[in-house]
Amino acid sequence: GAVVSQHPSRVICKSGTSVKIECRSLDFQATTMFWYRQFPKQSLMLMATSNEGSKATYEQGVEKDKFLINHASLTLSTLTVTSAHPEDSSFYICSASVSNYGYTFGSGTRLTVV
Amino acid sequence: GQQLNQSPQSMFIQEGEDVSMNCTSSSIFNTWLWYKQDPGEGPVLLIALYKAGELTSNGRLTAQFGTTRKDSFLNISASIPSDVGIYFCAVNFGNEKLTFGTGTRLTIIP
């Protein structure tokens, strides 16, 4: 149990376009989800906390207008990278906190902006 | 911000060898978590520690919650090829947010 499904696993987009990444909780309800970014050979850095039915809270230095987060239901959070640029190329990972399971993570999305 | 320093940064070992790594912080924590990340995947929880001095095993993996509550250790015995990956420690600052360590990359030399 406590599976988080993330889609797509890989995406390549042109500079200036927007990309949406989905994170779904498959067998539980998640009022809170977390979005991380990981650059090559670096650790996971928390970008924002996604709250169902309310605005996301962003970590310091993360542009909320660039990384749009929507958590419209208890099983789905989306991250949209708007006007993507090559420096946004990274590995994006979502997670959810689940009672008795701790934190469970999605399999990640490799974004390449060309 | 808070930082968790992991040592060593990388390890190159032969199959069958034992592995030791640690994670240190300047702050005290009530929970220490150890994750493994395979290439192109999200991290997977290996061991969770909830009490200072606690020693917990998961198969060939053993982790310890340091008595000072500022550090934790992970040991892998008799390494096998599937142990390759990046190992991260993580802590919770009491607000549901996880902070990850700098990571230890494990490579097994044929």
Side-chain angles (χ1 to χ4, degrees), chain A residues 32-88:
Chain A
T32 304
M33 289 189 175
F34 305 90
W35 288 95
Y36 293 82
R37 179 169 53 183
Q38 185 180 30
F39 291 109
K41 297 189 177 182
Q42 293 189 21
S43 187
L44 286 77
M45 298 299 295
L46 182 64
M47 298 175 64
T49 301
S50 172
N51 305 297
E52 188 269 334
S54 64
K55 292 183 179 180
T57 54
Y58 292 80
E59 296 302 300
Q60 191 173 7
V62 178
E63 301 175 58
K64 62 179 181 181
D65 294 330
K66 180 169 186 61
F67 298 99
L68 301 179
I69 292 173
N70 185 285
H71 195 155
S73 78
L74 287 170
T75 59
L76 176 64
S77 175
T78 61
L79 169 69
T80 300
V81 182
T82 63
S83 186
H85 288 94
E87 57 265 31
D88 298 323

Side-chain angles (χ1 to χ4, degrees), chain A residues 40-43, chain B residues 5-12 20-22 85-88 102-107:
Chain A
K41 297 189 177 182
Q42 293 189 21
S43 187
Chain B
N5 294 309
Q6 287 187 244
S7 178
Q9 184 176 5
S10 60
M11 302 183 73
F12 297 85
S20 292
M21 62 187 78
N22 66 69
I86 307 175
Y87 292 80
F88 290 103
T102 49
T104 293
R105 183 180 297 268
L106 180 63
T107 302

